[in-house]
Amino acid sequence: MSQQETTVQTTVYVCTVCRSKDDPEVRPGQALLEAFDARLTSEDRAIVAAEPVECLGVCSRPCTVAMAARGKWTYVLGDFDNADDVGDLIESARRYTASETGLVPKKDRPDAMRKGVVSRTPPAPR
């Protein structure tokens, strides 16, 4: 596939409003978003984009993210740590993007994705 044919296929939405369990003044989602963006390779950027969102409604499990793509299941994932889990989050986005349906078998999920699933939502009807 040429670079012109490559388009962003997966959006990782990161809640930037959730508060830290240890310090309610800290909003760890913003740090997660920045760490995620900083570690994306140029190849990753061709297929994955990260965007901040104001709330994913999973306030009890910060940091929370959602992975979505047209025609695929959407995952909502919680309990990410901005320092320790960003590599797993990037690998999760890669595997999600590579999946035809968005469903990533549990055995193939990075640890943070395996433990962090809050929900899966089927694709919207066409």
Side-chain angles (χ1 to χ4, degrees), residues 49-71:
E51 293 187 22
V53 292
E54 295 218 1
C55 184
L56 290 170
V58 191
C59 304
S60 64
R61 294 184 67 181
C63 296
T64 302
V65 304
M67 282 185 209
R70 185 178 311 257

Side-chain angles (χ1 to χ4, degrees), residues 70-94:
R70 185 178 311 257
K72 291 186 176 189
W73 286 71
T74 295
Y75 277 94
V76 176
L77 308 163
D79 301 321
F80 282 96
D81 179 279
N82 64 342
D84 296 334
D85 295 329
V86 75
D88 271 5
L89 180 56
I90 290 170
E91 185 58 31
S92 297
R94 290 174 185 147

Side-chain angles (χ1 to χ4, degrees), residues 35-47:
F36 181 85
D37 190 57
R39 294 214 13 217
L40 287 176
T41 66
S42 58
E43 291 83 16
D44 291 331
R45 289 180 193 287
I47 59 170

